[in-house]
Amino acid sequence: ASDVYKRQVFYFSSGSLIVTLLHFFSTVIIIRSLGLFEYGLFVLALSFYTILASFLECGIGGVVLADSSAAIGEKDYTKAKTLLKSYMKFEFVMGSTLFFVALILSFMLSGLYDNVIGRLLLIIAFYLFTTSLQNAVSIVFYSLSKFKIFIKIV
């Protein structure tokens, strides 16, 4: 068991190191490709997305996954179906809400600052909405594929 634990720690640590190095090199490439002003806009848009996307991924997906998996394990497919549908609705509502918040902010900031910032925020608005849909679909399909009972629930 000790060797398995060491191997898992090694793989996890190696994965984290590789991701960090890839992030570093991609940042260098982005900085070299963009000018200083464009990189600032990129960081602004990325920060805006990160702040708003934190409302999408507030841990509810993990809870729904655990609860629906428990319901499937107990053969309570109706409960699992209800949980998964409710989560999909929640993500759709959150994605739509954040889309409109970003949309309104893009119009407000376009009037106050450069039109480029407004256009970037408009792109982020669409990206937030698609992220919410991606979250919902990935949790539902992960839960269902784990138990190979997609046909029973749908």
Short mmCIF file of all heavy atoms in Angstrom, two decimals, residues 9-10 14 22 24 36 66 76 96 107 120-121 133 140:
data_model
loop_
_atom_site.label_atom_id
_atom_site.label_comp_id
_atom_site.label_asym_id
_atom_site.label_seq_id
_atom_site.Cartn_x
_atom_site.Cartn_y
_atom_site.Cartn_z
N VAL A 9 1.27 9.99 -5.14
CA VAL A 9 1.82 11.30 -4.80
C VAL A 9 2.75 11.78 -5.90
O VAL A 9 2.72 12.95 -6.30
CB VAL A 9 2.55 11.25 -3.43
CG1 VAL A 9 3.37 12.51 -3.19
CG2 VAL A 9 1.56 11.03 -2.30
N PHE A 10 3.57 10.86 -6.44
CA PHE A 10 4.47 11.23 -7.52
C PHE A 10 3.70 11.69 -8.75
O PHE A 10 4.02 12.72 -9.35
CB PHE A 10 5.38 10.04 -7.88
CG PHE A 10 6.22 10.29 -9.10
CD1 PHE A 10 7.32 11.13 -9.04
CD2 PHE A 10 5.89 9.69 -10.31
CE1 PHE A 10 8.08 11.37 -10.17
CE2 PHE A 10 6.64 9.92 -11.44
CZ PHE A 10 7.75 10.76 -11.38
N SER A 14 3.86 15.39 -10.16
CA SER A 14 4.36 15.57 -11.51
C SER A 14 3.33 16.29 -12.38
O SER A 14 3.69 17.18 -13.15
CB SER A 14 4.68 14.21 -12.15
OG SER A 14 5.66 13.54 -11.41
N LEU A 22 3.61 24.39 -18.16
CA LEU A 22 2.85 24.73 -19.36
C LEU A 22 2.21 26.11 -19.24
O LEU A 22 2.19 26.87 -20.20
CB LEU A 22 1.78 23.67 -19.64
CG LEU A 22 2.29 22.33 -20.15
CD1 LEU A 22 1.15 21.32 -20.23
CD2 LEU A 22 2.95 22.49 -21.51
N PHE A 24 3.34 28.60 -17.43
CA PHE A 24 4.43 29.57 -17.53
C PHE A 24 4.79 29.82 -18.99
O PHE A 24 4.86 30.96 -19.44
CB PHE A 24 5.64 29.08 -16.75
CG PHE A 24 6.86 29.92 -16.98
CD1 PHE A 24 6.98 31.16 -16.38
CD2 PHE A 24 7.89 29.48 -17.79
CE1 PHE A 24 8.11 31.95 -16.59
CE2 PHE A 24 9.02 30.25 -18.01
CZ PHE A 24 9.12 31.50 -17.41
N LEU A 36 1.94 45.13 -24.87
CA LEU A 36 1.66 45.37 -23.47
C LEU A 36 0.19 45.73 -23.23
O LEU A 36 -0.46 45.20 -22.33
CB LEU A 36 2.57 46.49 -22.94
CG LEU A 36 2.58 46.71 -21.45
CD1 LEU A 36 3.00 45.46 -20.71
CD2 LEU A 36 3.53 47.87 -21.11
N ALA A 66 -22.49 13.34 -5.96
CA ALA A 66 -22.51 12.38 -4.85
C ALA A 66 -23.93 11.92 -4.53
O ALA A 66 -24.18 10.72 -4.35
CB ALA A 66 -21.86 13.01 -3.61
N ASP A 76 -32.85 4.25 -6.82
CA ASP A 76 -33.88 5.29 -6.80
C ASP A 76 -33.63 6.22 -7.98
O ASP A 76 -33.12 7.33 -7.85
CB ASP A 76 -33.84 6.06 -5.48
CG ASP A 76 -35.00 7.01 -5.30
OD1 ASP A 76 -35.81 7.14 -6.26
OD2 ASP A 76 -35.11 7.64 -4.23
N SER A 96 -27.29 32.05 -17.48
CA SER A 96 -28.07 33.14 -18.09
C SER A 96 -27.93 34.43 -17.31
O SER A 96 -27.75 35.51 -17.88
CB SER A 96 -29.55 32.75 -18.16
OG SER A 96 -29.72 31.61 -18.94
N PHE A 107 -21.70 46.86 -21.96
CA PHE A 107 -22.25 48.10 -22.51
C PHE A 107 -21.88 49.31 -21.65
O PHE A 107 -21.57 50.38 -22.18
CB PHE A 107 -23.77 48.01 -22.66
CG PHE A 107 -24.19 47.08 -23.76
CD1 PHE A 107 -25.06 46.03 -23.50
CD2 PHE A 107 -23.72 47.24 -25.06
CE1 PHE A 107 -25.45 45.18 -24.52
CE2 PHE A 107 -24.10 46.38 -26.07
CZ PHE A 107 -24.97 45.34 -25.80
N LEU A 120 -14.52 42.76 -25.41
CA LEU A 120 -13.94 41.64 -24.66
C LEU A 120 -14.94 41.09 -23.64
O LEU A 120 -15.08 39.88 -23.49
CB LEU A 120 -12.67 42.08 -23.93
CG LEU A 120 -11.39 42.08 -24.73
CD1 LEU A 120 -10.26 42.69 -23.92
CD2 LEU A 120 -11.03 40.68 -25.16
N LEU A 121 -15.60 41.98 -22.94
CA LEU A 121 -16.57 41.53 -21.95
C LEU A 121 -17.77 40.86 -22.60
O LEU A 121 -18.37 39.94 -22.02
CB LEU A 121 -17.02 42.70 -21.07
CG LEU A 121 -15.93 43.28 -20.18
CD1 LEU A 121 -16.47 44.45 -19.37
CD2 LEU A 121 -15.34 42.23 -19.27
N LEU A 133 -23.28 25.60 -19.29
CA LEU A 133 -23.83 24.43 -19.98
C LEU A 133 -22.85 23.26 -19.93
O LEU A 133 -23.24 22.11 -19.73
CB LEU A 133 -24.17 24.78 -21.42
CG LEU A 133 -25.27 25.81 -21.62
CD1 LEU A 133 -25.48 26.08 -23.10
CD2 LEU A 133 -26.56 25.38 -20.96
N VAL A 140 -23.79 15.57 -15.41
CA VAL A 140 -24.84 14.60 -15.73
C VAL A 140 -24.25 13.38 -16.43
O VAL A 140 -24.49 12.24 -16.02
CB VAL A 140 -25.94 15.26 -16.59
CG1 VAL A 140 -26.88 14.21 -17.16
CG2 VAL A 140 -26.71 16.27 -15.76
#
